[in-house]
Amino acid sequence: MRTILSGCVRFTPCLALVLLVGCGQSDPPQFTLDMVAIAEKQIPANQQQKVANILEAMFGTPDDPFVLPETGLDLAKLQMAAGPVKSDQFGHETGLYRRHCAHCHGTTGDGLGPTAMILNPYPRDYRQGKFKFKSTERPAKPTDYDLETVLRQGVQGTAMPSFALLPDAQIDALVEYVKYLSMRGQTEIGLTDAMADLSEGEELPLTHDTLVAEILAPVAESWQEAPDKIIPTDGDNAKPDMPKAESIAAGEKLFYSAKANCAKCHGWSALGDGQTNDYDDWSKAIHEAEESLASDVNTLNEAEMSAEEREALARHVALLSSALATDALPPRHAIPRNLRQGVYRGGRAPYDIYRRIYAGINGAPMPAVGPPFPGAPGTLTSDEIWNLVDYVLSLPYEPISQPPRDQRAVSRAQL
Amino acid sequence: MNPSLDQRESPWPHRLAVALVCATFPMIWIGGLVTTYGAGMAVPDWPNTYGYNLFLYPWQTWVYGPFKLFIEHGHRLFGTLVGMIAIAFLVSTWCCQRRANLRWLGAAALIGVVAQGALGGLRVLADEVQIAKIHGIVGPVFFAFTVALASITSRRWQSAKRSEERQLGAIERLGVITTLLVFLQLVLGAQLRHLSPEAPLGNFRLALFFHLAVAVALLAHVFMLAARVLYSHRQESWLARPAVGLLVMLLVQIGLGAGSWVTNYGFPVWLSRYDFAAAYVPVADGAVQAWTTTAHVALGSLILATSLMLTLRSMRLSSPLSARFAPSKPATSPSQRILSMGAGL
């Protein structure tokens, strides 16, 4: 007995170590499919494998990336960012994405890295090709310079660090790899959509026309067009020659008006305490999937249906429920920026704020008030947007005890 | 001086044990920097360095080459230094003193260095994060072991007088629990540090939760341990100093832990109402991030070593001095059973 007890005491730490550490060699990392989307689109297992195979043929693996010429991506840069973390005696480093990004953004770029769950805001999921902080029109892709700026400057108040200490070549490689993961993710969405549209017994043709011309090429083109979609801040969009105080006053009026409606979300105090129950697109997708699951469970429990239909629905519920548990982050509300802190995640230069108001924030509830395309009328004119820019930039210096004009008027009316 | 002490006891085992401690602690720092900077694979082969024998690798390339190569190759060279000191210590325990158990501990020290080196080599050859994790856990354990050797070989250890005070039993028990908690904390810390990007969603959160929970438990235990020691053995600097040191180090360690989090992941969102938190951006591979995180790792090792040393010293004071040269016999308390080898020294 004593021997057993003594053995237990001595080997408990070792046992704990083995349990916690695990044993056996890890498998090489693999890209994973978006199981929530797969479950929602009800893609059967054999078709899922087909999607994975097509994606591997088009994009390779995390250790061995590959790109078709249509993507316009530089394979040498991708090879520098991909694979296991290594460096040589000449200072050449590879595996940059795995070392710097994958813990949060995930190997697939799905924003589901192991640390993601405890970060607020969640890391970006690149697969939809939506990026918040950029110089281009709302639905357009960011330019390389936009992605580089985010990498170099980081995002204030979040876990996204500044990689300003990395050499230029490494930053370039990471920018290329983010674009690669995003294109891969969007291609996956295109493929699963195509699979979902197939009628029973129909197969997706594995041809260049279908896979590359119809699915990959439009995705790649949207990235290649990004530099043409930059919102100009000169010419017709140049800042009006107007006294600063006058511009701020005009901006203040707009901020609280129904036309710009900024106060609705940013609050009457501009502390970001207006509407705080909206979701960004990533959380909204999960929220809608959860609602769909709840509705399906309800149907399963209450509605009358044939045994076959019940079995199919039960299978769908099980798949979606499992996907939401393992491949999704709990939805979180999008909190509007507190404009009195003077912290602007997309950049604090006046033209950054101009573009943020003009195009809104892609994927977030912040709407665009500029024209949807050049020449079209927008909610606000360029001059009005500049007035708002001046007011927003003045907010950190405005005494918060001074209530905004419209709210003051309402209070007087109530008295 | 205690009359039973061997007056001809050589000072060399103790000197070499102290040298082992002094060489191992920088190894913990260098190893920590290797992980912090992701330099574990800066030299792809082992035991050679880019095909060269470890000692024959051109020093100009090492010193003036990339920083990652500098710290990884330096880590290996420093490891061989620790190994040589361990050999010298083993020789001294066989040649310069007569305690049989100490000889076996000397052999264990050498085996420990070799095993840790082999783990480091395997980590490189297999490029396996799980082995890196074990390597990262064994390092602090080996360092604590060297501190225990330095304590056991000291004159103060040999001249320690047995005390019948009941408080010593409580100190022993608290010491054992604290040491085990620090070890558990190291294992949990390794889960956070050697994180595979492939780890399932939620694993990191779980490890972090336990890391914080164990930190709270540890703080409570160290407070109790220090209070016990200061209450009953305030005059006994052999116990009081490490007890106070342990408490101070733990408080600093909590600060470094928070600092490591902030410099890697930013401030928690509930602090974003404050401008400094809302505007903060971590700088990847920056000096503040690298040194705060590495200091957290190194201080963790120091805490483990201090806790083990305090526990062994309390056991020493509560064990019969005559057991030093007596044949091994069943110990009487659970902690004595666990560490009967140390008590028999």
Side-chain angles (χ1 to χ4, degrees):
Chain A
M1 188 63 189
R2 183 178 291 178
T3 313
I4 293 170
L5 272 175
S6 164
C8 286
V9 168
R10 285 180 190 181
F11 290 107
T12 299
C14 301
L15 183 68
L17 191 147
V18 170
L19 285 176
L20 280 159
V21 166
C23 46
Q25 190 164 3
S26 312
D27 293 328
Q30 294 295 325
F31 289 129
T32 53
L33 296 178
D34 180 354
M35 292 312 292
V36 176
I38 295 269
E40 282 189 303
K41 293 172 190 173
Q42 305 194 22
I43 310 285
N46 62 327
Q47 301 282 45
Q48 291 172 30
Q49 189 55 53
K50 199 168 179 181
V51 171
N53 291 344
I54 294 169
L55 285 170
E56 189 170 329
M58 289 169 108
F59 291 95
T61 64
D63 280 353
D64 186 17
F66 168 80
V67 277
L68 292 165
E70 284 80 356
T71 59
L73 294 171
D74 183 340
L75 187 59
K77 286 182 182 174
L78 296 179
Q79 284 166 338
M80 188 175 170
V85 182
K86 282 187 166 66
S87 59
D88 65 18
Q89 53 189 341
F90 307 107
H92 300 142
E93 297 186 23
T94 55
L96 301 171
Y97 181 80
R98 213 166 292 173
R99 168 153 151 64
H100 295 295
C101 319
H103 294 103
C104 299
H105 293 284
T107 302
T108 311
D110 50 12
L112 294 175
T115 63
M117 199 171 258
I118 48 164
L119 301 182
N120 192 349
Y122 289 137
R124 180 67 46 249
D125 173 357
Y126 309 136
R127 294 173 302 179
Q128 291 81 10
K130 288 180 185 171
F131 293 83
K132 284 183 171 176
F133 306 119
K134 58 196 181 71
S135 58
T136 55
E137 290 159 18
R138 187 180 176 91
K141 297 289 181 285
T143 62
D144 286 7
Y145 182 73
D146 290 333
L147 293 176
E148 186 189 323
T149 304
V150 171
L151 280 171
R152 285 196 192 281
Q153 298 183 354
V155 180
Q156 286 181 306
T158 75
M160 175 68 192
S162 156
F163 291 101
L165 298 177
L166 262 55
D168 291 351
Q170 293 190 11
I171 298 265
D172 286 351
L174 285 171
V175 165
E176 201 75 347
Y177 199 74
V178 168
K179 287 164 63 181
Y180 160 81
L181 287 176
S182 186
M183 283 189 203
R184 189 197 164 280
Q186 282 192 282
T187 307
E188 181 188 331
I189 293 171
L191 282 170
T192 50
D193 282 346
M195 291 281 189
D197 290 342
L198 295 174
S199 50
E200 206 170 326
E202 197 183 355
E203 288 286 325
L204 187 74
L206 301 181
T207 61
H208 182 274
D209 282 352
T210 310
L211 301 179
V212 180
E214 286 180 25
I215 296 176
L216 175 65
V219 173
E221 276 165 21
S222 68
W223 279 95
Q224 286 150 14
E225 286 167 358
D228 303 329
K229 305 281 183 182
I230 293 175
I231 300 164
T233 51
D234 53 6
D236 291 345
N237 290 358
K239 192 172 185 197
D241 189 12
M242 190 175 180
K244 187 78 149 204
E246 214 175 289
S247 179
I248 290 173
E252 182 186 10
K253 201 171 171 187
L254 276 167
F255 189 92
Y256 298 102
S257 72
K259 191 177 179 187
N261 213 12
C262 309
K264 181 190 168 199
C265 296
H266 290 285
W268 287 98
S269 55
L271 287 166
D273 54 357
Q275 182 176 337
T276 54
N277 61 353
D278 210 345
Y279 293 105
D280 62 23
D281 288 3
W282 297 272
S283 274
K284 195 178 283 174
I286 301 302
H287 178 64
E288 284 169 2
E290 284 178 346
E291 283 187 335
S292 156
L293 177 67
S295 158
D296 288 344
V297 169
N298 214 22
T299 310
L300 199 61
N301 291 336
E302 291 173 10
E304 285 184 9
M305 61 184 89
S306 68
E308 247 178 38
E309 286 172 337
R310 181 172 294 281
E311 194 187 334
L313 186 58
R315 215 170 29 241
H316 169 64
V317 163
L319 194 61
L320 185 54
S321 161
S322 156
L324 285 171
T326 57
D327 281 18
L329 297 164
R332 281 196 194 130
H333 289 126
I335 305 301
R337 176 76 29 244
N338 174 355
L339 297 172
R340 291 192 181 269
Q341 284 186 315
V343 174
Y344 314 100
R345 288 179 175 167
R348 61 170 301 109
Y351 58 81
D352 289 325
I353 313 285
Y354 176 87
R355 285 171 174 150
R356 207 66 53 240
I357 298 172
Y358 183 105
I361 297 177
N362 196 14
M366 168 85 181
V369 293
F373 53 88
T379 308
L380 299 183
T381 64
S382 178
D383 287 0
E384 286 173 327
I385 295 175
W386 278 116
N387 295 153
L388 271 176
V389 170
D390 282 335
Y391 178 60
V392 166
L393 287 172
S394 77
L395 273 167
Y397 310 100
E398 185 194 78
I400 197 165
S401 55
Q402 187 182 340
R405 203 167 292 162
D406 286 7
Q407 197 186 37
R408 202 160 47 206
V410 171
S411 301
R412 281 179 192 154
Q414 285 169 337
L415 286 171
Chain B
M1 178 69 76
N2 191 296
S4 66
L5 278 178
D6 186 346
Q7 298 299 321
R8 289 170 301 168
E9 187 85 17
S10 166
W12 280 105
H14 179 62
R15 285 176 187 168
L16 287 166
V18 171
L20 202 52
V21 172
C22 293
T24 307
F25 193 56
M27 270 296 280
I28 300 280
W29 276 92
I30 302 169
L33 284 173
V34 166
T35 303
T36 302
Y37 282 107
M41 292 302 294
V43 180
D45 50 351
W46 184 88
N48 289 343
T49 296
Y50 287 101
Y52 286 91
N53 176 287
L54 178 67
F55 302 105
L56 301 179
Y57 186 73
W59 68 269
Q60 296 94 334
T61 317
W62 172 47
V63 174
Y64 299 114
F67 179 66
K68 289 185 180 180
L69 170 70
F70 177 72
I71 50 175
E72 171 58 14
H73 185 60
H75 188 51
R76 294 176 181 200
L77 286 175
F78 221 98
T80 59
L81 175 68
V82 173
M84 282 186 249
I85 298 173
I87 292 170
F89 175 71
L90 175 62
V91 170
S92 74
T93 58
W94 284 77
C95 300
C96 309
Q97 62 87 46
R98 292 184 299 175
R99 287 177 282 171
N101 284 340
L102 192 57
R103 290 176 180 168
W104 290 116
L105 287 177
L110 184 57
I111 291 168
V113 176
V114 173
Q116 176 69 343
L119 273 172
L122 276 176
R123 181 261 178 273
V124 170
L125 296 177
D127 190 9
E128 178 55 59
V129 73
Q130 304 290 8
I131 302 175
K133 211 179 275 184
I134 298 171
H135 186 58
I137 293 167
V138 173
V141 171
F142 178 75
F143 173 64
F145 179 64
T146 62
V147 171
L149 287 179
S151 191
I152 287 167
T153 52
S154 67
R155 276 189 177 277
R156 181 68 180 83
W157 178 274
Q158 292 167 55
S159 63
K161 289 177 185 171
R162 183 197 174 196
S163 166
E164 293 294 344
E165 276 184 58
R166 282 166 58 197
Q167 288 290 344
L168 275 171
I171 293 171
E172 249 185 77
R173 275 192 298 278
L174 276 170
V176 169
I177 295 170
T178 303
T179 307
L180 290 176
L181 279 175
V182 181
F183 174 72
L184 178 61
Q185 191 69 328
L186 277 171
V187 173
L188 289 165
Q191 308 304 307
L192 298 172
R193 191 158 159 78
H194 299 275
L195 184 65
S196 164
E198 304 300 306
L201 200 59
N203 270 22
F204 184 80
R205 187 173 66 163
L206 190 68
L208 181 67
F209 171 79
F210 280 110
H211 196 56
L212 294 175
V214 173
V216 172
L218 200 50
L219 187 61
H221 268 90
V222 169
F223 259 116
M224 284 192 287
L225 183 58
R228 283 268 185 191
V229 170
L230 292 178
Y231 174 73
S232 59
H233 291 80
R234 186 180 299 224
Q235 306 306 323
E236 181 68 82
S237 64
W238 208 48
L239 293 182
R241 278 185 191 165
V244 173
L246 195 58
L247 183 58
V248 171
M249 281 191 286
L250 191 63
L251 292 173
V252 174
Q253 179 71 338
I254 289 170
L256 284 172
S260 298
W261 182 266
V262 169
T263 55
N264 280 280
Y265 300 104
F267 286 95
V269 74
W270 49 269
L271 281 174
S272 62
R273 74 185 70 169
Y274 301 106
D275 291 356
F276 69 89
Y280 181 75
V281 180
V283 179
D285 282 357
V288 177
Q289 184 190 70
W291 287 96
T292 308
T293 311
T294 309
H296 187 56
V297 171
L299 192 57
S301 307
L302 207 52
I303 289 173
L304 179 69
T306 310
S307 179
L308 179 64
M309 184 176 72
L310 178 60
T311 308
L312 290 176
R313 285 179 177 182
S314 65
M315 285 176 177
R316 177 66 179 156
L317 289 178
S318 64
S319 12
L321 194 63
S322 57
R324 264 175 72 229
F325 301 110
S328 60
K329 56 185 178 183
T332 51
S333 73
S335 52
Q336 281 171 331
R337 279 204 297 276
I338 298 165
L339 291 157
S340 57
M341 182 178 277
L345 290 161

